[in-house]
Amino acid sequence: VGSGDGSGGTFSVVAGDSSGSNTGGAASVIAGSSSSSGGGSLSLASGAGNTVGGAVTLDGGVGTTALGGSIAISSGVGTDTSSGSVSVSTSNAGTSGVSGDLSLSTGTASSGTSGDVSIGSGSSASGSGGNFAISVGSGDGSGGTFSVVAGDSSGSNTGGAASVIAGSSSSSGGGSL
């Protein structure tokens, strides 16, 4: 699309709607594969700005009478070797300011249970299980705070439980805590 002294041109890929009982059209952007070398890369990036950089938004579709659309991000399988990594991070701050926040949360529920958050490392059939580490930042002022807080109950039920449990072993000593 064209550049301009004002706004640059817009580029859109929009699949067709369905006014009947069928699903709307699908939209796909797929990098090429290779039978003898590496597959093609796929990049999604917003533009730089003299003031604010462009945002990147990834939304699942609204479901009026059923579930909303899901979003799945996963790394590729390595058939003969390791699977790919997934990295989610904010960038470092510039000469002033703070680095960006990273927030992972589920939505609220007006009735019923709100969504779960599950973070875990994988098991191994013949080696060690993956490690899981949480650390807070150091600072020239105060160090970062780390808190684990179970949920409150505003009704007649009990508050949420909080547990930290070391692993057991069927043939050796259990893990330390």
Side-chain angles (χ1 to χ4, degrees):
V1 292
S3 301
D5 187 39
S7 299
T10 301
F11 175 69
S12 300
V13 178
V14 181
D17 298 328
S18 172
S19 59
S21 59
N22 295 315
T23 58
S28 300
V29 178
I30 303 173
S33 60
S34 172
S35 60
S36 60
S37 185
S41 298
L42 179 64
S43 297
L44 178 65
S46 61
N50 189 38
T51 56
V52 179
V56 174
T57 302
L58 183 63
D59 285 326
V62 175
T64 304
T65 60
L67 297 175
S70 299
I71 296 176
I73 300 175
S74 61
S75 64
V77 174
T79 305
D80 296 328
T81 181
S82 302
S83 62
S85 298
V86 174
S87 177
V88 178
S89 63
T90 65
S91 294
N92 296 331
T95 55
S96 63
V98 298
S99 62
D101 295 329
L102 180 63
S103 176
L104 178 65
S105 64
T106 63
T108 59
S110 57
S111 64
T113 305
S114 62
D116 296 328
V117 174
S118 178
I119 302 175
S121 64
S123 301
S124 173
S126 60
S128 299
N131 295 321
F132 179 69
I134 300 176
S135 62
V136 294
S138 302
D140 188 38
S142 299
T145 301
F146 175 69
S147 300
V148 178
V149 181
D152 297 329
S153 172
S154 59
S156 59
N157 295 316
T158 58
S163 301
V164 178
I165 303 172
S168 61
S169 171
S170 60
S171 60
S172 183
S176 300
L177 179 61

